[in-house]
Amino acid sequence: MSAKTTNGTDIESRVKRVLRHRASRAYFKHGGWTSNAEEADSFSDAVEAAEICVRYGLNNVELALRYHAAGSDLFCVVMR
């Protein structure tokens, strides 16, 4: 069962999981980087994000949760 907001919208559909480089603050996009969080790849869960880190040899990155309405990162955790 997914979490719901007060108006019945799935919170899950409004949250993006993105990888962000800790030094440059750029977001991962299709094997490269972008400064625009809206263009960043979104991951279904932390396991998928970790697999991308391994596949692309990413270091010094964190998983950031972005809530669409806030337009900013809400929570970040170091991935690798």
Side-chain angles (χ1 to χ4, degrees):
M1 186 167 130
S2 64
K4 303 277 185 188
T5 61
T6 55
N7 66 2
T9 304
D10 285 340
I11 292 173
E12 193 69 23
S13 66
R14 300 178 67 170
V15 174
K16 284 181 73 170
R17 291 170 194 86
V18 296
L19 288 172
R20 184 172 65 185
H21 191 269
R22 295 179 71 205
S24 70
R25 310 303 265 184
Y27 297 90
F28 185 79
K29 176 186 175 185
H30 309 304
W33 299 97
T34 179
S35 60
N36 185 344
E38 297 304 316
E39 295 176 356
D41 293 344
S42 183
F43 302 99
S44 60
D45 55 34
V47 172
E48 182 185 11
E51 289 171 346
I52 290 297
C53 289
V54 171
R55 182 180 308 150
Y56 287 93
L58 302 179
N59 290 303
N60 199 26
V61 294
E62 57 193 4
L63 179 66
L65 299 181
R66 285 188 66 83
Y67 184 63
H68 177 70
S72 63
D73 300 330
L74 298 176
F75 176 80
C76 301
V77 63
V78 175
M79 291 293 290
R80 192 168 174 196

